Amino acid sequence: MEQSINTSAIDSQGQGLHYRTCTLCEAMCGVEIKTENNKIVSIKGDKNDPFSRGHICPKATALQDLHEDPDRIRRPIERTDSGWKEISWNEALTKTANRLKDIQHNYGRDAVGAYLGNPNVHNMGAMLFGKDLLHKLRTKNKFSATSVDQLPHHVVSHLLFGHQLMIPVPDIDRTDHFLIIGGNPLASNGSIMSVPDVKNRLKAIKKRKGKVIVIDPRRSETAEIASEHHFITPGTDALLLLAMLNTVFEEQLCSPGDLKKHVNNLYSLEPVVAPYTAERVAPITGVSAEATRQLVREFCAAKTAICYGRMGCSVQQFGTLTQYLIMAFNILTGRLDAPGGMMFTHPAADILPKSSKGHFGKIKSRVRGLNGFGGELPVAALAEEILTEGKGQIKAMVLAAGNPVLSTPNGTQLDKAFSQLDFMVSIDFYRNESNRHANIILPPVSALEREHYDIVFHTLAVRNTAKYSEALFNPSEDAMHDWQIFLELAYRLNGKPTLKQTLEHRAKMALGPKAVLDLLLRSGPYGGGLNLFKGISLSQLKKNPHGVDLGPLNAKLPMGLFTPDKKINMSLSFFKPDIQRLEQHFFGQESKKTNHNSLRLIGRRHVRSNNTWLHNSRRLVKGKSRCNMMIHPESASALGLENGQMAKVSSRTGSVTIATEITDEIMPGVISIPHGWGHNREGTGWKIAEKHAGVSVNDLTDELFLDELSGNAALNGVPVTVEAQH
Ligand SMILES: Nc1nc2c(c(=O)[nH]1)N[C@H]1C(S)=C(S)[C@@H](COP(=O)(O)OP(=O)(O)OC[C@H]3O[C@@H](n4cnc5c(=O)[nH]c(N)nc54)[C@H](O)[C@@H]3O)O[C@H]1N2
Ligand SMILES: Nc1nc2c(c(=O)[nH]1)N[C@H]1C(S)=C(S)[C@@H](COP(=O)(O)OP(=O)(O)OC[C@H]3O[C@@H](n4cnc5c(=O)[nH]c(N)nc54)[C@H](O)[C@@H]3O)O[C@H]1N2
Ligand code: SF4
Ligand SMILES: [Mo]
């Protein structure tokens, strides 16, 4: 399919060389896309991008595959008795708005639920205007991928620093000591740490005589290049951290430095961690007492150091507590807000002052009474909110850029729930395992047809930079951006709009995200404010298509804090009950009930995949299937399992049959299965992915297995049993 190039996007000297930021993961790599005759001929790393310095990963080529994919939906479609039919935008938008209005009129506002998936966060327009639709729906049933991911980080930042988005990131380029707990940046390219070229950045730490230490139940790709790796029993990180803090106090290694001035109740944890000696917790964590103490001594002896925890320790039973203890450890050892430690960013477009600081427990889910955070409910409660009758039951769903059937716990149950809805609309350019249940699908333009600025990930990046990318291709006349779809739906939900609503709508449609971005840049820390000719602005970024370097991270405390007294609040009262829950879980009656035949299931990522939606790229899925179960030789032999043999893995929620990979990469008693696969459900529009279906690990994860403190799903450490298949 031929498409016209946006000539303002092309380098005038370089004929058809276009520079942009890859939007597939958090790393924000600069890419150089070469075009000839309106077609992409190559995608390479942009050497002049000051942040990524030419690095890309194999996924960058998927930008082309996604754009050209014949399976990508390009016009609105409606499900009819005789299959999917294309309809006009006007009809699709009006029908959708009318159905949603009717359902809210008949059953109340909460009868419409919404789920926003991860790609929204990589999409400037969706980030800036998605809330318009959510506000208009005024439903409490809002869900997103946050509660299968980084929710613990938001809760901790909200309590300690006064803002859910004020999350410190590792100052990787200046550190001497990087302790990574439950993150595998070599596969993921970093998370809550936008860090292109992470492999070389980690190697550089070792080159300057520093250390990289990985704590992970699997000797991951990152562990392979680290100075040291320790296996840990899944779900026990909070115990390890309690013991590390205990060592800090016991061995008098507290050294908060200047932070002393900025923290309330700095030493309040001391009596609480007293029972958790390294010796007491070692049999449970699997990290020896000596190794635990050594971790702390080396961390404290290093000139600069970072303790960073991600997916593996956030998305598990004690995820929020673990993130809190990681923060406390960084604070008590003086590593927060210090060069080479955990630092806050100064992004050019600073969304923090304008966005919600977060609130906890203001809303509760109807069926299970789970606490909401920041206006959202835990997605683990979504299926039951659809399936359980009564006032406030969800009857219709708005799904935007997500695939919760494959990405949230007990996908089988959610799949069933979706099939029973009265109505579903999906904003997505693929027919996936979730929106195959939709009545109407509204497809936005592809990533290469839209302009881009990373509103979120500059806020979480290891260096302050700013970069704006033009659209490479002009969208066709009848294409819509995500933000336009959001605004149009919101407007049509008004019923009979007032003059004010109409004028506001027209202004937003005309100005779009670019105008909002320009305002954010001009009013940001590097902007010229009212002086239109000074500082960073949209027009200035347009002149620098490779991006602008704004320097290393710098100190932000105390004035950058959002707490009223400009102090970090240690919030012990919030976390103390969870330490009691942990005590009971590991040392109380409950711990004796553990089924000793069960293994613990954890996840993993691969550099050629991205959540549920890159499996339709032939280049990325070719080769041997990566959706298999890793298991240690000892565990395999106890089960009579051979390498390559099919195994049935079962949990409370279901079972899958999957090929075995026996490897000592993983610790005994643990199995690892990647998520995002399971493209074998009927009615999706992914022809290539179907041939590389794999199984969905989230048919095994459990919507009742939660980090109870935050409601985040516990997708790691799930108890399962394994049986050899003959
Ligand atoms: N077991 C297990 N489960 C997990 C995880 C795990 O580690 N283990 N990880 C969790 C994490 S961290 C996350 S973030 C979630 C992700 O979970 P989700 O956000 O639910 O899933 P994705 O695969 O990111 O969603 C991709 C969908 O968005 C669409 N899409 C892509 N770009 C755009 C766009 O620009 N606009 C629109 N409208 N649609 C677009 C794609 O076509 C695809 O259908 O999965 C979680 N699930
Ligand atoms: N290639 C690729 N890149 C991605 C994605 C992708 O799907 N593919 N997804 C993107 C998204 S949405 C996110 S959120 C990020 C996530 O990025 P990361 O946080 O780096 O996530 P993972 O690569 O899943 O690494 C998690 C590690 O935790 C380990 N682990 C599991 N359970 C435990 C535990 O109980 N304790 C400890 N200490 N470790 C444990 C696992 O073995 C694994 O090595 O990646 C992003 N980047
Ligand atoms: S690491 Fe790969 S997917 Fe992530 S931004 Fe860079 S090129 Fe894109
Ligand atoms: Mo994520």
Side-chain angles (χ1 to χ4, degrees):
M1 200 180 84
E2 187 123 321
Q3 216 180 344
S4 70
I5 298 248
N6 171 8
T7 44
S8 67
I10 296 175
D11 181 309
S12 56
Q13 275 103 48
Q15 323 143 9
L17 282 184
H18 165 69
Y19 300 98
R20 71 184 297 104
T21 303
C22 172
T23 44
L24 294 174
C25 86
E26 300 178 33
M28 297 196 290
C29 296
V31 291
E32 179 189 275
I33 306 185
K34 190 172 178 191
T35 54
E36 273 170 20
N37 301 327
N38 292 344
K39 297 267 299 177
I40 296 170
V41 289
S42 72
I43 299 184
K44 293 188 179 144
D46 176 4
K47 292 195 189 70
N48 296 318
D49 182 304
F51 190 44
S52 61
R53 314 175 298 206
H55 173 267
I56 49 167
C57 84
K59 285 186 295 298
T61 55
L63 289 169
Q64 176 181 7
D65 300 350
L66 291 163
H67 181 73
E68 294 172 359
D69 192 345
D71 292 343
R72 180 160 66 84
I73 306 169
R74 286 162 168 86
R75 258 169 222 96
I77 51 174
E78 181 179 27
R79 187 150 48 90
T80 69
D81 291 340
S82 53
W84 289 94
K85 293 260 153 60
E86 275 191 11
I87 54 173
S88 73
W89 276 105
N90 188 37
E91 188 183 355
L93 291 163
T94 307
K95 255 192 187 167
T96 299
N98 287 345
R99 289 290 281 136
L100 295 176
K101 258 191 302 190
D102 281 352
I103 286 168
Q104 287 194 320
H105 178 79
N106 292 339
Y107 303 102
R109 294 220 160 256
D110 297 338
V112 173
Y115 174 84
L116 266 62
N118 167 282
N120 283 299
V121 192
H122 298 263
N123 183 320
M124 173 171 76
M127 271 324 283
L128 295 175
F129 290 113
K131 58 181 184 318
D132 284 61
L133 177 59
L134 294 178
H135 284 169
K136 189 60 74 181
L137 287 170
R138 274 181 38 213
T139 169
K140 81 164 184 181
N141 282 315
K142 293 191 287 288
F143 305 85
S144 82
T146 291
S147 50
V148 279
D149 189 351
Q150 80 288 2
L151 177 58
H153 300 252
H154 295 312
V155 174
V156 170
S157 285
H158 161 70
L159 291 165
L160 269 64
F161 312 129
H163 200 301
Q164 57 169 333
L165 299 176
M166 189 177 173
I167 308 177
V169 296
D171 186 11
I172 185 170
D173 293 336
R174 290 185 292 181
T175 198
D176 303 292
H177 192 96
F178 196 0
L179 175 58
I180 303 177
I181 310 180
N184 184 13
L186 252 65
S188 68
N189 288 297
S191 183
I192 313 217
M193 166 172 75
S194 285
V195 57
D197 199 14
V198 67
K199 190 175 183 179
N200 282 321
R201 288 175 136 120
L202 288 174
K203 282 185 170 169
I205 300 177
K206 292 204 309 187
K207 261 194 216 134
R208 53 179 186 263
K209 306 267 180 297
K211 255 190 156 183
V212 178
I213 302 182
V214 172
I215 315 273
D216 197 305
R218 189 186 140 230
R219 195 169 59 249
S220 64
E221 291 81 350
T222 309
E224 285 288 355
I225 66 150
S227 327
E228 210 174 292
H229 164 237
H230 299 271
F231 286 117
I232 184 165
T233 306
T236 65
D237 301 84
L239 279 179
L240 175 73
L241 278 143
L242 284 166
M244 285 165 61
L245 284 159
N246 174 293
T247 308
V248 167
F249 288 115
E250 211 182 79
E251 303 193 6
Q252 293 174 357
L253 294 169
C254 259
S255 51
D258 270 0
L259 287 170
K260 231 185 273 173
K261 290 188 270 179
H262 311 316
V263 185
N264 283 332
N265 309 316
L266 179 61
Y267 300 111
S268 55
L269 264 171
E270 185 168 6
V272 179
V273 303
Y276 300 95
T277 59
E279 289 69 21
R280 183 174 177 230
V281 306
I284 303 174
T285 61
V287 184
S288 75
E290 193 42 38
T292 305
R293 288 179 183 276
Q294 198 56 26
L295 277 176
V296 179
R297 289 174 195 144
E298 284 186 10
F299 188 91
C300 293
K303 203 159 143 247
T304 58
I306 299 164
C307 177
Y308 157 86
R310 220 9 221 124
M311 200 66 204
C313 67
S314 308
V315 189
Q316 53 137 296
Q317 261 186 306
F318 294 95
T320 309
L321 179 60
T322 304
Q323 286 302 337
Y324 167 70
L325 296 170
I326 287 176
M327 216 53 86
F329 184 69
N330 280 309
I331 291 171
L332 286 161
T333 54
R335 309 311 194 171
L336 186 75
D337 203 41
M342 286 295 257
M343 296 196 80
F344 299 100
T345 57
H346 287 83
D350 192 359
I351 48 171
L352 266 67
K354 283 125 199 145
S355 47
S356 157
K357 294 184 190 135
H359 44 82
F360 188 78
K362 250 198 206 169
I363 49 169
K364 286 195 191 302
S365 71
R366 175 182 62 110
V367 178
R368 225 189 303 173
L370 294 180
N371 280 316
F373 178 80
E376 276 182 24
L377 293 169
V379 71
L382 175 54
E384 69 205 22
E385 293 298 330
I386 300 173
L387 293 168
T388 314
E389 282 178 24
K391 197 167 171 281
Q393 180 185 8
I394 298 177
K395 298 278 189 181
M397 279 298 297
V398 178
L399 219 60
N403 193 2
V405 166
L406 294 195
S407 57
T408 68
N410 199 353
T412 319
Q413 182 183 241
L414 187 61
D415 200 9
K416 180 174 144 215
F418 280 170
S419 74
Q420 296 178 14
L421 287 169
D422 290 357
F423 181 74
M424 177 194 276
V425 60
S426 160
I427 303 169
D428 204 306
F429 39 59
Y430 280 118
R431 192 144 43 81
N432 64 27
E433 288 70 17
S434 306
N435 67 3
R436 69 195 177 110
H437 298 295
N439 300 81
I440 290 182
I441 301 180
L442 306 168
V445 298
S446 92
L448 299 181
E449 291 166 323
R450 61 177 195 241
E451 60 276 1
H452 182 68
Y453 180 94
D454 255 296
I455 295 284
V456 174
F457 296 107
H458 281 304
T459 309
L460 300 169
V462 301
R463 194 174 171 88
N464 293 314
T465 61
K467 179 165 163 185
Y468 176 78
S469 321
E470 298 277 9
L472 169 57
F473 295 107
N474 294 316
S476 66
E477 290 272 294
D478 66 343
M480 286 184 81
H481 289 271
D482 285 88
W483 63 270
Q484 291 171 319
I485 300 172
F486 283 126
L487 287 179
E488 281 295 344
L489 281 178
Y491 180 62
R492 281 159 213 247
L493 281 170
N494 284 322
K496 237 190 160 132
T498 60
L499 180 64
K500 185 169 167 270
Q501 284 168 333
T502 303
L503 293 177
E504 244 179 51
H505 173 66
R506 287 198 188 144
K508 282 186 179 171
M509 288 296 281
L511 292 169
K514 272 193 269 193
V516 182
L517 173 65
D518 195 32
L519 207 65
L520 281 169
L521 291 169
R522 286 180 189 279
S523 59
Y526 314 88
L530 294 176
N531 185 341
L532 298 186
F533 303 100
K534 242 184 83 192
I536 287 204
S537 62
L538 182 58
S539 65
Q540 206 233 350
L541 289 186
K542 281 184 179 176
K543 290 184 204 133
N544 293 279
H546 305 287
V548 178
D549 187 25
L550 300 167
L553 304 181
N554 43 44
K556 200 161 188 171
L557 299 187
M559 290 324 285
L561 288 167
F562 285 82
T563 46
D565 58 356
K566 298 284 174 198
K567 296 257 192 186
I568 296 173
N569 173 7
M570 286 303 278
S571 287
L572 195 57
S573 58
F574 184 82
F575 291 99
K576 221 170 162 181
D578 215 48
I579 298 177
Q580 278 151 16
R581 176 172 75 100
L582 171 118
E583 173 70 26
Q584 188 55 30
H585 180 82
F586 289 109
F587 302 103
Q589 286 306 318
E590 203 189 319
S591 67
K592 304 197 177 85
K593 285 191 243 150
T594 314
N595 172 359
H596 293 288
N597 289 329
S598 82
L599 293 118
R600 294 279 163 175
L601 167 69
I602 61 168
R604 75 175 184 271
R605 286 175 158 76
H606 191 281
V607 75
R608 303 180 78 85
S609 174
N610 188 47
N611 296 332
T612 75
W613 65 290
L614 287 194
H615 303 144
N616 216 44
S617 157
R618 209 179 298 276
R619 290 190 263 204
L620 292 182
V621 289
K622 71 176 185 223
K624 174 169 124 219
S625 166
R626 292 188 299 266
C627 184
N628 60 17
M629 170 190 74
M630 288 183 175
I631 187 165
H632 188 271
E634 273 171 31
S635 306
S637 107
L639 293 160
L641 262 177
E642 308 264 334
N643 199 32
Q645 191 176 352
M646 298 307 282
K648 184 174 171 195
V649 185
S650 308
S651 72
R652 186 194 72 85
T653 61
S655 59
V656 301
T657 302
I658 186 167
T660 301
E661 179 184 342
I662 300 180
T663 167
D664 68 0
E665 234 173 68
I666 194 150
M667 67 192 286
V670 180
I671 63 165
S672 154
I673 302 178
H675 76 287
W677 300 90
H679 305 294
N680 48 0
R681 288 167 155 100
E682 247 171 59
T684 64
W686 275 332
K687 292 196 197 67
I688 297 169
E690 260 175 25
K691 296 203 185 88
H692 303 264
V695 296
S696 176
V697 70
N698 286 320
D699 291 343
L700 296 170
T701 57
D702 189 336
E703 83 283 10
L704 302 180
F705 188 64
L706 296 179
D707 169 11
E708 281 168 30
L709 189 58
S710 63
N712 206 35
L715 302 173
N716 291 297
V718 180
V720 292
T721 54
V722 176
E723 255 176 276
Q725 294 293 96
H726 296 283

